[in-house]
Amino acid sequence: MRVRITNPLTRMNVRQQLILLFLILVSPVFLLNWYANTKAEQILKKHVTSAYEELNKQNHFLINRDIDTISRIMTTMIQNSNTQSLSYDEKDTEFERVVKYQEVNRLLGNNSFSLTGGEAINYYLFVYDPNDRYPFAPSVPYINRRNDASSVFFYSNETKTPWIEQALKAKGKGVLALIDSFGPNADQKTLAYLRAVNSITNGRNAIGVLIATKMDKKIEEAFATVSLPEGGQMYLTDWNDRILASTTPRMGEILKFPDKLVTGTAIEETLSAVTEDSIYVVHTKYGINQKLVYTIPTQSLLQQQSALKRVIQLISIVYSVFAIIVMMYFWRSLMSPLRKLAMFARSHEPGKPLSSHPTRDRNDEVGVLIYSVHNMANRINDMIHEHYSMEIKQKESQLQLLYQQINPHLLYNTLESIYWKSSLEGNTGSAEMIKELSKLMRISLSRGRELIAIEEEIEHAKAYASLQQKRYEYGFTIRWEIDDEVLPFLIPKITLQPLIENAIIHGVINMGEDGEIVVSARAADDRLLLVVEDNGYKETDVAAINRIIAGEPSESSLGYGIRNVHKRIQLHFGSEYGLFYEARDTEGVRVIATIPKRTEPWTDEHQ
């Protein structure tokens, strides 16, 4: 079966098609606008991310170089003889201890100055004094209130702080640690660089801890050398993402990273992630447990392509306005005349005189179409009366031909039934069958009438069913459910008999006493429904039967009788009436004949 492809635009009127055309013309511009902006944004993010990855790596290197400079200064102070002299010695007098204290205090004070002209780095030495041999100097419980700018403090096991323990565990390696409430006013946080001070003569003995404060300020000076877009931030964190220094006052907070940004345990690596709001660039140093993080707002980057966006948007707007103007011109030039023509075509009735004669006001295809349609309407009006009577006669000839074809077919089946009955029973019951046959012939001829009352059609069908039951020795039953109200209405004669014949031959003939045919007739609004159904056990392709009824080409020669009935119903009543086959819910097939309610034939005017 050939599949017929229809154009979906034909379901729309021309106005809707023009609007669709306008949208099709304009939409690529907006799609290109969106694509260009998206692509530019992706390229910008990619290039910016790559550039800041390298910048982050260099910045982290410079920060650690400054930390290494502090570490070398601290190494010099640790190896200084004055610092080493603070190790525990029972022979020292109190005067000698005061002198050592002053020398070390002076050493630390001399190194507490800015390396680059920026924020000063202050050095402090915390000496282990379990026996309180330096009572004249501040001890750990008073380190939050420095007296006389002292830079040397003493602690014992009872006054040891967590960050001192952290430095001692590092065994001489530098450690960055946050110290709360440190400084002259005891209200500051500071990022300190800690190193344990071990005895040169006995490496196992720890003299104390040397710290450099205000490392956060020194790192912020390194941050200041990098210029990020507006809203960009820089953070130096430990391996637990705790902020050690940043361009915003967030020291000590935990920095949140996107889920897709996961740092590994590589010695050194650079990572990046792009989210809807920000771009993250991270450089890690696993050996010293540090991360340098850049966060750059996506919006600040997109501002850089705002000029390109404006140009693309301007082009889109100008193109859209131009398209609207062109569509309006064609609408006025083409659509107005076509709409008038469509209104004329819908309102014109064949045979009705035209209100005006066509004129050739324009020479384009639209003018030719308008003139041709009006001229064609005139010709149709001239031809309609000429061909009207010919069509009526042609339909009558077709009906007569169909009746002439079906009557021999019916007579053949009836005579065959009489033959079989007479052969099997030795002429017993033949008189009864001949009686039924005469009834069939009488109603079939019906004095030349084409439409008969349903009451007569039912009588004809019952006579045929009785003959078939006698022929097949009552091998099936037939039940009649006819509403009395439908009996006076007209129906094309010999409508039910082919349907009952199909139900017998293709449905119940081999079912014995289990076979049943039900014939019903009822009214439904302005229509009559005549139904013939059987409980046949064979599976039937009802879709193929309906295609045969509709007149589609078929290799099978079956279906001649029902197609004949279908055509006669449509010839009398119109294409909306006829036969329709469907499968029953359980078993068998049901055929429905739909006809209008009519008690007298239509006149030629109705036809």
Side-chain angles (χ1 to χ4, degrees), residues 90 105 119 133 145 188 214 260 272 282 284-285 310 361 416 428 439 463 474 484 491 511 520 523 563:
E90 294 180 353
N105 200 48
E119 189 70 36
R133 298 176 67 248
R145 291 185 289 274
Q188 299 178 6
K214 297 186 180 180
K260 57 184 176 182
S272 62
V282 182
T284 65
K285 285 181 176 291
R310 286 194 293 270
D361 296 332
E416 183 185 15
T428 302
K439 184 184 298 183
Y474 296 91
D484 293 338
I491 187 174
M511 293 180 64
S520 60
R563 186 164 64 246

Side-chain angles (χ1 to χ4, degrees), residues 197-332:
V197 180
N198 297 319
S199 175
I200 296 176
T201 58
N202 186 358
R204 295 181 179 180
N205 293 335
I207 298 174
V209 175
L210 180 63
I211 73 171
T213 61
K214 297 186 180 180
M215 290 298 296
D216 52 322
K217 302 298 181 183
K218 180 58 62 179
I219 294 173
E220 288 173 8
E221 289 180 6
F223 287 164
T225 61
V226 178
S227 177
L228 295 182
E230 182 180 357
Q233 303 295 338
M234 290 177 277
Y235 304 93
L236 182 68
T237 72
D238 59 16
W239 210 249
N240 296 321
D241 301 331
R242 188 183 184 192
I243 298 175
L244 303 178
S246 66
T247 53
T248 58
R250 297 183 58 187
M251 184 186 299
E253 298 182 13
I254 300 297
L255 185 62
K256 300 294 184 181
F257 288 97
D259 295 337
K260 57 184 176 182
L261 187 62
V262 180
T263 55
T265 56
I267 297 175
E268 183 177 358
E269 64 177 340
T270 303
L271 306 171
S272 62
V274 180
T275 65
E276 186 176 352
D277 300 324
S278 302
I279 297 176
Y280 290 83
V281 180
V282 182
H283 184 260
T284 65
K285 285 181 176 291
Y286 184 72
I288 57 177
N289 290 336
Q290 285 183 8
K291 300 178 184 178
L292 181 60
V293 183
Y294 289 174
T295 61
I296 305 168
T298 306
Q299 192 61 34
S300 63
L301 292 179
L302 299 182
Q303 292 176 356
Q304 300 178 16
Q305 62 173 6
S306 58
L308 177 61
K309 280 186 176 181
R310 286 194 293 270
V311 171
I312 297 176
Q313 290 172 356
L314 180 61
I315 294 174
S316 302
I317 293 173
V318 171
Y319 180 82
S320 301
V321 172
F322 173 74
I324 291 174
I325 294 174
V326 172
M327 295 300 293
M328 290 180 63
Y329 169 77
F330 279 98
W331 179 266
R332 294 177 62 88

Side-chain angles (χ1 to χ4, degrees), residues 434-475:
I434 294 173
K435 179 181 178 182
E436 299 293 346
L437 176 61
S438 64
K439 184 184 298 183
L440 280 174
M441 296 301 297
R442 176 178 58 82
I443 298 175
S444 298
L445 296 174
S446 59
R447 297 191 297 257
R449 290 179 296 153
E450 298 172 0
L451 297 177
I452 63 176
I454 292 179
E455 183 177 6
E456 294 181 77
E457 179 66 15
I458 295 297
E459 185 180 357
H460 177 272
K462 286 182 177 181
Y464 172 78
S466 177
L467 284 173
Q468 295 299 324
Q469 283 183 309
K470 290 181 175 62
R471 172 186 175 182
Y472 295 111
E473 299 180 349
Y474 296 91

Side-chain angles (χ1 to χ4, degrees), residues 85-86 89 91-102 134 136:
S85 67
L86 289 176
D89 191 349
K91 298 178 182 180
D92 289 343
T93 63
E94 186 173 354
F95 177 75
E96 289 174 339
R97 289 194 293 272
V98 171
V99 172
K100 291 180 180 180
Y101 170 79
Q102 290 178 344
Y134 293 85
F136 53 84

Side-chain angles (χ1 to χ4, degrees), residues 591-602:
V591 58
I592 303 173
T594 306
I595 61 174
K597 289 182 176 180
R598 284 175 49 188
T599 56
E600 57 183 24
W602 280 346

Side-chain angles (χ1 to χ4, degrees), residues 33-66:
N33 184 357
W34 170 80
Y35 177 77
N37 290 332
T38 304
K39 202 66 179 178
E41 180 179 336
Q42 293 175 352
I43 294 173
L44 181 62
K45 288 179 180 179
K46 180 178 179 181
H47 285 284
V48 167
T49 301
S50 301
Y52 280 107
E53 283 180 356
E54 185 62 28
L55 181 61
N56 186 304
K57 183 177 179 180
Q58 296 298 326
N59 193 201
H60 203 179
F61 171 78
L62 295 176
I63 291 173
N64 281 282
R65 189 181 65 178
D66 290 343

Side-chain angles (χ1 to χ4, degrees), residues 56-187:
N56 186 304
K57 183 177 179 180
Q58 296 298 326
N59 193 201
H60 203 179
F61 171 78
L62 295 176
I63 291 173
N64 281 282
R65 189 181 65 178
D66 290 343
I67 295 176
D68 289 340
T69 302
I70 301 297
S71 181
R72 286 194 296 270
I73 294 174
M74 295 176 75
T75 300
T76 302
M77 290 189 290
I78 290 171
Q79 295 175 353
N80 188 279
S81 58
N82 292 324
T83 305
Q84 291 293 318
S85 67
L86 289 176
S87 61
Y88 179 74
D89 191 349
E90 294 180 353
K91 298 178 182 180
D92 289 343
T93 63
E94 186 173 354
F95 177 75
E96 289 174 339
R97 289 194 293 272
V98 171
V99 172
K100 291 180 180 180
Y101 170 79
Q102 290 178 344
E103 291 297 328
V104 175
N105 200 48
R106 187 179 299 111
L107 173 66
L108 298 174
N110 291 338
N111 284 281
S112 297
F113 63 90
S114 173
L115 298 175
T116 59
E119 189 70 36
I121 298 297
N122 294 324
Y123 295 93
Y124 298 87
L125 178 62
F126 291 81
V127 181
Y128 182 57
D129 183 22
N131 298 321
D132 195 17
R133 298 176 67 248
Y134 293 85
F136 53 84
S139 60
V140 171
Y142 300 100
I143 63 172
N144 292 331
R145 291 185 289 274
R146 292 181 56 202
N147 298 321
D148 300 328
S150 176
S151 298
V152 182
F153 301 88
F154 296 85
Y155 68 93
S156 62
N157 291 329
E158 290 77 15
T159 59
K160 187 187 298 184
T161 60
W163 49 268
I164 291 178
E165 293 181 354
Q166 183 180 0
L168 294 174
K169 289 180 181 179
K171 298 180 180 181
K173 290 180 61 178
V175 177
L176 282 175
L178 289 174
I179 301 177
D180 296 332
S181 302
F182 191 79
N185 299 320
D187 59 354

